[in-house]
Amino acid sequence: MLNSIKTNEFAGDKGKELGMMYFRVAIILFGAQLLMGLIAAIQFLVPGFLFELFDFSVARMVHINALVVWMLYAMIGSVYFMLSDETGEQLVHAGLGKLAFWVLTAAVTVVVLVYIFVQVGAGTEATIWLINEGREYIEAPRWADIGIVVVVLIFYWNVFMTYMKGQKTGIMTVMVADLLALAGLYLAGMWFTDNISMDQFWWWWVIHLWVEATWEVFVGTLAAYALIKIIGAKREIVEMWLWIEVLMLFGSGILGLGHHYFWIGTPEYWWEIGALFSALEPVPLVAMFVHVLYDWGKEQGIAKAEGKTGSVMNNGPAMAWIVTNAFGNFLGAGIWGFFHTLPQVNIYTHGTQFTAAHGHLAFFGAYATILIGMFYMGIQYAYGIKELKATFKSKMGIFLITFGVVGMTIALTIAGYEQVLVERAELGGGWNAFFAAQELPWYIQAQMWRAIMGVVTFVGFIYLVLDLVTIGKQAKAAQAA
């Protein structure tokens, strides 16, 4: 992965080269996210750890923002990577795209340094413009906000013009429409007012329509593309399920937001509508995967019976991450989300560690997994490998990261369960109840296990990075032998 941009097998495909550049920064930011999460996990157990040097609020802020930014990097990289395959055309403005990449990377570097070394500022306009905006998940200062918009406009212009010039596949049509919605929502999130209620209103819609609507559709396009490339899935099958995902966007992605309305005084019928549709979000993606895999297995059996060679799975590590995505999405976003979206349950679980448990498993299962799968596809194409097989490091990476995230989810769920029983149900949910619940043995033990599982996840990440750096060169040498 380190030397594949200059010495690659992309045959002059500038889109794929640009995609690999985004993938590299994404993996670095992924590591930063995990490191900050570990610091925050330790601070849950030892509140004095790095006190007044690097407080919990700062570690948590960098942890969350690194999550969003590494995924955006990986998403942009994935679009550039698949563009020529889907459109049949080269990227129309490769030089402009590369300039935007360096501008964005320089801006992200400055913002992260400010987060780490400056951390907080006074409640003034200068803080909003130069340090952070104080909005969870999208806390970039205003100057960076504007820069991000310019970079995203260049990105979208590049993708749209390449799409208009080339083939208009179903996957690419959905992708172009989805990117427009994704970028447009970011603009809505830039709206700023001194009224904190109005400000939070706009912020809330941006975050939730991102993760519960546009990001879900985006993941569907990547899954469709990857299944075609890895196991030769039929385009008409994957695109059928992709269009169903788009259709359900209006139900699962928008109506599904109703499960949050419990807290803003909307009519009660919204609660059931929201709970039902939000649980349906991952269904089309799982159905796409099951349908494709069933067809693939059937065709393999027919080919074998006729003495022929069927369609070979040409990228084992990427396929393993995509399988994890299909079921991780269903479990994390669907099942774990449904656990506490019903208003009868949410009245007790809202804002407890139940939310953190759902957040960890949903972001990992729905988004991180398939983006890592795209990293492996990048490696395969960069080195010109016909069949990329999983190594020991590949297996350790996916096993430890998945085991660690699931372990953290279970630990946080137990912590949330204790909060519900003691803080909310028994002590009434007041300020004193909050602190009383945090001192009980179950909560402390759960946080200890969360930290241990965080270490397991980080070890898995090290295996993943080592694999991404070495697997391409090793596979190419084996192919040449």
Side-chain angles (χ1 to χ4, degrees), residues 194-434:
D194 290 337
N195 185 318
I196 196 167
S197 296
M198 288 178 62
D199 189 71
Q200 287 291 294
F201 176 82
W202 288 106
W203 167 86
W204 188 90
W205 279 105
V206 172
I207 296 300
H208 288 82
L209 282 175
W210 260 7
V211 299
E212 303 202 36
T214 56
W215 283 27
E216 284 281 352
V217 174
F218 185 91
V219 165
T221 60
L222 293 189
Y225 168 78
L227 288 170
I228 291 173
K229 288 294 179 184
I230 295 173
I231 62 172
K234 293 178 181 174
R235 181 174 288 275
E236 58 268 30
I237 298 296
V238 295
E239 289 190 345
M240 175 191 74
W241 284 109
L242 191 57
W243 284 112
I244 292 174
E245 170 78 9
V246 173
L247 181 66
M248 287 189 66
L249 164 71
F250 296 100
S252 60
I254 297 175
L255 294 179
L257 293 183
H259 71 260
H260 296 279
Y261 295 173
F262 172 74
W263 296 94
I264 59 174
T266 50
E268 291 187 7
Y269 56 76
W270 271 110
W271 306 347
E272 280 70 26
I273 292 173
L276 172 65
F277 281 99
S278 66
L280 294 175
E281 281 176 23
V283 170
L285 294 179
V286 176
M288 177 199 292
F289 177 78
V290 172
H291 192 158
V292 166
L293 205 62
Y294 174 79
D295 280 358
W296 183 69
K298 189 170 69 175
E299 288 169 3
Q300 292 291 93
I302 293 172
K304 187 177 180 181
E306 294 175 348
K308 300 176 182 175
T309 303
S311 174
V312 176
M313 183 189 299
N314 61 36
N315 192 326
M319 191 64 190
W321 281 105
I322 291 168
V323 171
T324 309
N325 170 260
F327 294 101
N329 193 355
F330 185 73
L331 187 64
I335 303 291
W336 234 265
F338 191 71
F339 271 173
H340 74 131
T341 56
L342 291 172
Q344 295 83 351
V345 177
N346 198 250
I347 188 173
Y348 296 105
T349 61
H350 195 90
T352 67
Q353 296 294 333
F354 264 111
T355 308
H358 167 47
H360 278 72
L361 194 56
F363 269 103
F364 172 73
Y367 308 121
T369 46
I370 198 159
L371 295 172
I372 296 173
M374 291 300 296
F375 294 165
Y376 277 106
M377 290 190 69
I379 296 288
Q380 181 186 17
Y381 280 71
Y383 285 91
I385 300 161
K386 293 179 181 175
E387 189 177 344
L388 187 65
K389 295 182 178 178
T391 65
F392 175 75
K393 292 191 282 288
S394 310
K395 295 171 186 174
M396 288 299 290
I398 190 170
F399 170 73
L400 289 176
I401 293 175
T402 305
F403 183 73
V405 173
V406 171
M408 279 193 284
T409 302
I410 293 171
L412 289 168
T413 302
I414 292 171
Y417 183 72
E418 185 270 353
Q419 283 181 295
V420 167
L421 284 180
V422 179
E423 177 192 327
R424 302 290 169 85
E426 186 177 333
L427 300 180
W431 193 239
N432 289 334
F434 172 75

Side-chain angles (χ1 to χ4, degrees), residues 9 34 54 59-60 63 113 181 190 225 246 357 389 435 441 454 465:
E9 303 288 337
L34 296 182
F54 200 74
R60 181 179 182 275
H63 173 63
L113 291 175
M190 291 179 67
Y225 168 78
V246 173
K389 295 182 178 178
F435 287 104
V465 173

Side-chain angles (χ1 to χ4, degrees), residues 18 22 80 91 93-102 154-155 158:
L18 195 50
Y22 275 97
Y80 276 135
L91 189 63
H93 299 297
L96 194 58
K98 192 172 287 188
L99 175 65
F101 165 81
W102 288 114
I154 292 172
F155 162 67
N158 243 336

Side-chain angles (χ1 to χ4, degrees), residues 12 17 44 57 100 104 121 123 140 145 161 168 179 210 217 258 260 310 313 407 432-433 440 442-443 461:
E17 290 182 3
F44 259 108
S57 60
L104 179 63
D145 247 358
M161 293 307 293
K168 294 172 181 58
L179 288 176
W210 260 7
V217 174
H260 296 279
M313 183 189 299
N432 289 334
L440 293 176
W442 277 27
Y443 186 89
F461 170 76

Side-chain angles (χ1 to χ4, degrees), residues 6 21 27 32 78 87 101 107 191 225 241 377 456 461:
K6 288 186 178 177
M21 292 167 69
I27 198 76
S78 298
T87 63
F101 165 81
W191 175 259
Y225 168 78
W241 284 109
M377 290 190 69
V456 171
F461 170 76

